[in-house]
């Protein structure tokens, strides 16, 4: 019986490992495509993009910033940002900021929040409240915490996490002089 279980386990493990090796490049390609589409969605029209890594001011990570140019004039920066404060773990966003630091648009890249509750952060109604808002005049906190953000009903933790990720993006870009208030 032990030999049978060992054989089944080795065979199953080999099948799973083999399938991972076969699909690894396609999964990476799909993630890259999703990221490129998110960059286009959160920025005004552009013809050139430059990527760079920026250390967060708190020293707890590095964000990737994509500065977009239209005819060699900067039109905005897309920042892949994150938070570890989600209800179900990390949340990754692509935040588009105009040269003056105004939030242009935001798109959720990855989350594991509760379906029907925290997952509503992907709804245009929730994300729309951040569009064309500058963090100096729009407090990136839920109303319950004294901010200007209408939290998702029954998902305050997810709403707070979303705000935390956006604040991280803004503060990181501002720390290197990328936002002019």
């Amino acid at each position: 019986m032990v030999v049978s279980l060992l054989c089944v386990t080795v065979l199953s493990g080999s099948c799973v490992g083999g399938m991972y090796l076969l699909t690894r490049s396609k999964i990476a390609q799909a993630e890259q495509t999703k990221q490129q589409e998110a960059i286009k969605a959160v920025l005004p029209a552009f013809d050139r993009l430059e990527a760079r890594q920026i250390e967060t001011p708190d020293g707890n990570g590095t964000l990737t910033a994509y500065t977009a140019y239209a005819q060699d004039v900067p039109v905005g920066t897309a920042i892949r940002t994150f938070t570890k404060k989600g209800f179900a773990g990390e949340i990754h966003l692509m935040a588009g900021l105009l040269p003056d630091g105004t939030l242009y648009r935001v798109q959720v890249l990855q989350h594991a929040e509760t379906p029907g509750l925290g997952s509503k952060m992907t709804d245009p109604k929730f994300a729309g409240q951040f569009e064309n808002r500058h963090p100096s005049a729009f407090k990136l906190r839920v109303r319950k915490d004294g901010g200007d953000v209408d939290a998702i009903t029954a998902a305050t933790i997810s709403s707070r996490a979303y705000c935390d990720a956006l604040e991280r993006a803004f503060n990181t870009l501002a720390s290197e002089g990328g936002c002019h208030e």
Side-chain angles (χ1 to χ4, degrees):
M1 185 145 94
V2 171
V3 173
S4 295
L5 285 174
L6 179 65
C7 290
V8 168
T9 303
V10 168
L11 182 61
S12 298
S14 297
C15 289
V16 170
M19 191 57 66
Y20 169 74
L21 290 175
L22 288 174
T23 59
R24 178 176 51 185
S25 64
K26 289 182 182 182
I27 291 169
Q29 184 179 16
E31 288 177 8
Q32 183 68 22
T33 300
K34 182 178 180 179
Q35 181 167 296
Q36 292 301 321
E37 289 173 2
I39 292 169
K40 290 177 185 174
V42 301
L43 290 173
F46 61 91
D47 54 34
R48 183 168 58 93
L49 203 61
E50 290 180 5
R52 67 188 185 286
Q53 298 291 316
I54 308 172
E55 178 102 13
T56 59
D58 60 10
N60 290 331
T62 304
L63 303 183
T64 305
Y66 304 89
T67 302
Y69 298 87
Q71 299 177 348
D72 292 327
V73 175
V75 295
T77 302
I79 299 181
R80 183 183 173 106
T81 184
F82 70 94
T83 183
K84 295 180 180 183
K85 295 181 178 181
F87 183 74
E90 285 191 11
I91 296 171
H92 293 263
L93 306 175
M94 186 67 72
L97 294 119
L98 299 177
D100 69 350
T102 300
L103 287 164
Y104 185 67
R105 291 194 185 120
V106 181
Q107 191 162 15
V108 177
L109 296 174
Q110 176 187 339
H111 74 86
E113 301 299 280
T114 307
L117 294 174
S119 67
K120 288 185 179 180
M121 73 176 74
T122 61
D123 290 352
K125 182 179 177 186
F126 179 73
Q129 69 183 312
F130 297 92
E131 289 184 11
N132 298 310
R133 301 292 184 109
H134 195 284
S136 66
F138 183 77
K139 295 178 193 160
L140 290 172
R141 302 260 185 271
V142 296
R143 290 195 193 278
K144 186 185 275 189
D145 298 336
D148 295 322
V149 176
D150 289 326
I152 301 166
T153 303
T156 306
I157 293 172
S158 300
S159 301
R160 285 178 178 140
Y162 192 99
C163 291
D164 179 64
L166 290 179
E167 192 168 34
R168 176 174 283 109
F170 179 77
N171 290 341
T172 300
L173 192 58
S175 73
E176 74 156 17
C179 297
H180 309 290
E181 297 188 46

